[in-house]
Amino acid sequence: MTQQTDYERIRVDRPGERVARITLARADRRNAQDYKMLYEIDDAFSQAIDDDDVRTIVLAADGPDFSSGHDLSAGGDPIDEFDRVTEWGGFGKEGAEGYYATEQEVYVGLCWRWRNLPKPTIAQVQGRVIAGGLMLVWPCDLIVCSEDASFSDPVTAFGVNGHEFFVHPWEVGARKAKEMLFSGEAIDAETALRLGMVNHVVPLAELEKRTLALAERIAERPSFGLTLAKRAVNHALDGQGQWTTIQNAMGLHHLAHTHNRLVHNGLVVDPAGFSIIKKGAKRG
Ligand code: ZN
C-alpha cells in the first residue's frame, strides 16, 4: 500500500505510546469537510490500522470548533480523482443516480468503515460540531469533549431529515433525537454526558492531555481483546438494526435532496433554511 504522508487537510502524529493521532487541520474553514479531507482521514485511519505498533487512534481538530460539517461548496462535485473505498460506482451519472452513489461512498460508506475499524478510536472534541461534523465524531468508539463543546444537526431547516449517517436515536435516544432534529438546537456538553453521547467532559485546557491519557491507558491492553470487545458491542448495535436504519434514512435524505433540486435548484439551498439556522445560532 502506498504510504501517503503529504496531507493537505489533516496532520498525523504519534503523541503517545502506541497512539496515533489524526488532526483536522483546516481551522480557517472551521474544519469544513470536503472530499479531499474525508479521503485523507480514511487513508490515515488505514495506515494506523496497518501499523502493528498502533493500538489506539485519536481524531482531533485544530481551532476553536471541531467541525462545521460538510463543505457545501463541494456538494455535487464528482469524486473521480479519489480511489473509491466502497462497492459503489457510477458517481458521474445524471439525476439522483450519481449523487446517491456519491453520498453512499463518501459519507455513509466512509463513516461505516470508520465505525468498524478494528482498533479503538477516540474523538477529541472542542467547540461546535455541526451536522456532518457529527459524522466524524459518532463513528468513533469514545468521545472526550471540552466544556464548550456542542452538537447539532440543524438540517431540517433545509427540508432534510438529518445528516447521512443516521444514528441519532442510538447516540442521544429517540426522544432527544426528535427534539434535536425538530428544533435544530445544539446539545451542550453536560447534556451529552448525561445522555451517554460522550464519555467525559473536561476543561478545554486539559482536553488534549486527558484524551491522550485515556488513549494510552487503552493502548496498554492486548490488541486482540480490544478488537473483540469493539466487535461485540458493534454487533449488539447491528442486532438492533443500526445499518438498516441508516439505509432507510438515507433513502429519505435523498428524497429531500431530489426535492430541493427540483424546487430550489440545489441540494440544500433553501434560502429560508439559511436564515433559520442563522437565527438559531444567534440565540445559542
Ligand atoms: Zn446529503
Side-chain angles (χ1 to χ4, degrees):
M1 167 181 173
T2 324
Q3 296 266 303
Q4 187 183 347
T5 49
D6 54 337
Y7 297 120
E8 290 175 36
R9 303 284 194 262
I10 63 170
R11 286 192 314 282
V12 177
D13 67 344
R14 292 290 174 82
E17 193 78 15
R18 300 195 187 102
V19 177
R21 179 170 57 190
I22 301 166
T23 303
L24 313 181
R26 209 185 183 200
D28 57 322
R29 300 288 303 271
R30 294 288 195 261
N31 295 311
Q33 308 155 37
D34 57 4
Y35 297 153
K36 180 184 276 293
M37 177 187 272
L38 293 170
Y39 278 101
E40 286 188 356
I41 293 168
D42 190 70
D43 185 80
F45 270 135
S46 296
Q47 291 198 36
I49 294 306
D50 286 344
D51 188 337
D52 290 345
D53 289 333
V54 171
R55 287 200 193 156
T56 316
I57 308 163
V58 172
L59 181 63
D62 285 344
D65 295 310
F66 183 86
S67 176
S68 59
H70 294 148
D71 186 346
L72 294 180
S73 62
D77 285 352
I79 53 171
D80 298 344
E81 62 179 287
F82 306 102
D83 292 333
R84 69 176 182 193
V85 296
T86 69
E87 72 276 21
W88 289 89
F91 306 122
K93 289 191 174 177
E94 63 182 11
E97 186 176 5
Y99 198 59
Y100 184 66
T102 298
E103 291 210 337
Q104 285 281 8
E105 153 79 14
V106 82
Y107 296 149
V108 174
L110 289 178
C111 285
W112 194 248
R113 268 164 62 81
W114 302 340
R115 182 261 205 194
N116 291 323
L117 294 174
K119 296 180 183 181
T121 53
I122 307 176
Q124 173 188 307
V125 179
Q126 76 282 6
R128 284 174 295 181
V129 183
I130 302 171
L134 293 167
M135 294 171 57
L136 299 182
V137 172
W138 284 351
C140 290
D141 298 308
L142 307 180
I143 303 171
V144 181
C145 75
S146 57
E147 292 160 340
D148 73 332
S150 68
F151 307 86
S152 66
D153 187 7
V155 298
T156 54
F158 299 125
V160 182
N161 52 311
H163 64 60
E164 292 83 356
F165 190 62
F166 199 89
V167 293
H168 308 59
W170 281 272
E171 294 292 346
V172 298
R175 189 81 58 201
K176 199 70 182 177
K178 287 176 183 172
E179 183 182 354
M180 177 185 193
L181 293 165
F182 293 171
S183 73
E185 286 168 11
I187 289 173
D188 63 24
E190 279 308 319
T191 307
L193 183 66
R194 185 161 44 76
L195 294 168
M197 202 209 91
V198 303
N199 296 84
H200 302 282
V201 178
V202 302
L204 181 59
E206 294 176 25
L207 177 62
E208 181 181 0
K209 193 179 73 186
R210 297 275 293 273
T211 307
L212 282 180
L214 178 60
E216 287 194 300
R217 222 158 57 234
I218 292 168
E220 287 171 4
R221 305 179 79 80
S223 59
F224 198 37
L226 296 173
T227 301
L228 297 181
K230 175 167 179 166
R231 290 187 72 81
V233 176
N234 281 358
H235 286 163
L237 299 172
D238 296 342
Q240 293 168 355
Q242 195 173 65
W243 177 245
T244 307
T245 296
I246 292 168
Q247 286 301 326
N248 281 339
M250 185 65 168
L252 301 177
H253 180 96
H254 271 263
L255 172 64
H257 276 326
T258 301
H259 176 77
N260 283 342
R261 279 189 152 140
L262 289 169
V263 177
H264 303 296
N265 202 28
L267 284 177
V268 290
V269 189
D270 173 357
F274 279 116
S275 65
I276 289 169
I277 287 176
K278 242 170 129 184
K279 231 167 70 192
K282 262 186 216 146
R283 237 193 356 261

